[in-house]
Amino acid sequence: DTAVSQTPKYLVTQMGNDKSIKCEQNLGHDTMYWYKQDSKKFLKIMFSYNNKELIINETVPNRFSPKSPDKAHLNLHINSLELGDSAVYFCASSHIRNEQFFGPGTRLTVL
Amino acid sequence: GQNIDQPTEMTATEGAIVQINCTYQTSGFNGLFWYQQHAGEAPTFLSYNVLDGLEEKGRFSSFLSRSKGYSYLLLKELQMKDSASYLCAVRDRVPYNTDKLIFGTGTRLQVFP
């Protein structure tokens, strides 16, 4: 199946822990994104990479660090997790300036 | 500043027509997208407008007026499966190699039999 995939789908962890979310796309897109969707369903861009180069870096705490080993992968590492980090994190990909395709989301719960 | 407004909730009856409005004020404009998001699932692309006018795609149509900062999504012949959130997103005008979408808070549509 051609798609954007994310792992894990659910992540429950304690405050202060470090965790990573992985994203892969096999659509041949050159741009990948991370979004955060909070409890009020507001979807906000965090980061964007184009051909492995960081091109969008919104006002996100530096505890969040994206990493793109190649065009098909964009991972998100989060250090020292806080309660307010609880949300659904969506990865997406696109050809630049075209519609974005979203992954299934990772529901992060910080206890 | 960036501001995108949509109604929070709407209800409609199966078989009816519903129009979901979106008004925006952004520092730049380079296109407007509509996405559908079912509960617990990922957003999926519905439509894209960059020029004024109506874009039709089956039961769904989207309209844009750039001078008014206004768009709507029209859903015809509503079906129960159309119950979902509908997200309006504006693409900001940024340097060539970026593609930043600013999303509204979404409109939750409930379709009743």
Side-chain angles (χ1 to χ4, degrees), chain A residues 18-32:
Chain A
D18 303 339
K19 290 293 177 186
S20 291
I21 308 171
K22 294 187 175 182
C23 177
E24 176 181 2
Q25 56 94 4
N26 61 6
L27 298 165
H29 290 158
D30 51 17
T31 308
M32 296 185 73

Side-chain angles (χ1 to χ4, degrees), chain A residues 37 42 55 58 97 100 103, chain B residues 30 35 37 42 91 97 99:
Chain A
Q37 189 168 46
F42 182 53
I55 54 173
E58 289 295 283
R97 307 177 77 74
Q100 296 179 17
Chain B
N30 199 16
Y35 282 82
Q37 186 177 23
R91 181 161 61 197
N97 65 342
D99 196 7

Side-chain angles (χ1 to χ4, degrees), chain A residues 20-105:
Chain A
S20 291
I21 308 171
K22 294 187 175 182
C23 177
E24 176 181 2
Q25 56 94 4
N26 61 6
L27 298 165
H29 290 158
D30 51 17
T31 308
M32 296 185 73
Y33 314 80
W34 277 111
Y35 287 87
K36 178 180 180 181
Q37 189 168 46
D38 61 23
S39 57
K40 294 183 179 175
K41 307 301 180 191
F42 182 53
L43 194 61
K44 193 172 190 320
I45 182 76
M46 299 173 68
F47 301 103
S48 175
Y49 272 75
N50 177 256
N51 286 316
K52 301 197 302 174
E53 179 188 350
L54 181 65
I55 54 173
I56 294 176
N57 186 351
E58 289 295 283
T59 309
V60 177
N62 58 15
R63 298 182 295 104
F64 290 78
S65 51
K67 189 169 280 188
S68 181
D70 55 58
K71 281 199 320 183
H73 296 85
L74 179 61
N75 304 323
L76 183 65
H77 187 76
I78 316 171
N79 289 329
S80 304
L81 278 156
E82 299 177 358
L83 293 176
D85 298 332
S86 294
V88 181
Y89 292 84
F90 285 101
C91 177
S93 72
S94 73
H95 285 301
I96 195 73
R97 307 177 77 74
N98 286 353
E99 71 268 22
Q100 296 179 17
F101 291 79
F102 285 78

Side-chain angles (χ1 to χ4, degrees), chain B residues 27-38:
Chain B
S27 54
F29 179 85
N30 199 16
L32 187 143
F33 293 80
W34 284 95
Y35 282 82
Q36 180 190 59
Q37 186 177 23
H38 285 99

